[in-house]
Amino acid sequence: MNFELSKDICIALKTGENFSLLKKGVKKIKKISEPYIMSTFYVGNEFAKTEVLGVRKFLRITGNSVTDDPANSFICNLYGKTGDDCSTEAVLFDRKTLLDGVYQGILFPVTVVMKNSEADSSPENGIFIEFECDIYLNGTGTEGNYEITEV
């Protein structure tokens, strides 16, 4: 299963006991891969030796908050949070893999970073209108079949 090439990637976040599809309110999901490089410079040599030591992969999500979607609410409630509050699990899958009520996908431990939000103009409700977050994929993931709750 190669999600690097998939255009139809879906993501479900663990919200409580279930994996909830992140769908409502989402405008865009962008896959990003950032290499971690180390360059070594040598005296008398104008060029450095550069090595790729690792790659950080994450999904950048932009969207609008909605109140009736567990995955969307989970993300929006992370504003200003740190540490373990930002950790959960996520399943990446393609909708075409549905078989007998489960999806074939890859389970990752993830770190969700709420980057930007724009609050509603009425101070009494504090509802987020627009948000941007990054979901960092930690580790290599575990392929399997997963039940995904759709709201």
Side-chain angles (χ1 to χ4, degrees):
M1 187 177 307
N2 188 347
F3 287 104
E4 302 300 320
L5 303 176
S6 175
K7 292 184 352 184
D8 299 322
I9 192 169
C10 295
I11 185 166
L13 294 174
K14 188 159 192 173
T15 57
E17 296 297 315
N18 301 318
F19 287 100
S20 301
L21 177 64
L22 179 60
K23 178 180 174 183
K24 289 186 178 180
V26 172
K27 292 181 184 176
K28 185 176 183 181
I29 299 177
K30 182 178 180 182
K31 295 177 276 189
I32 299 174
S33 177
E34 289 182 345
Y36 176 73
I37 61 170
M38 180 177 74
S39 296
T40 306
F41 297 90
Y42 299 98
V43 175
N45 189 345
E46 65 180 293
F47 298 104
K49 177 183 178 193
T50 302
E51 297 177 76
V52 178
L53 301 178
V55 177
R56 178 170 64 172
K57 295 181 180 184
F58 61 97
L59 303 169
R60 177 151 297 146
I61 313 289
T62 55
N64 296 320
S65 69
V66 293
T67 56
D68 61 346
D69 182 85
N72 186 302
S73 294
F74 176 83
I75 288 173
C76 290
N77 287 328
L78 289 178
Y79 185 75
K81 301 277 175 88
T82 60
D84 288 342
D85 289 340
C86 301
S87 298
T88 190
E89 294 178 311
V91 175
L92 301 183
F93 66 98
D94 188 315
R95 284 191 175 279
K96 293 178 270 214
T97 65
L98 180 63
L99 182 65
D100 296 327
V102 296
Y103 289 96
Q104 183 181 13
I106 303 176
L107 173 69
F108 288 94
V110 296
T111 303
V112 182
V113 179
M114 178 64 134
K115 294 178 62 176
N116 297 309
S117 67
E118 182 180 318
D120 189 302
S121 59
S122 51
E124 65 273 7
N125 62 26
I127 296 173
F128 297 117
I129 295 174
E130 294 183 15
F131 70 85
E132 178 181 90
C133 79
D134 291 337
I135 300 176
Y136 291 89
L137 308 177
N138 301 320
T140 56
T142 305
E143 288 193 33
N145 296 318
Y146 301 97
E147 289 185 34
I148 308 296
T149 302
E150 296 191 45
V151 178

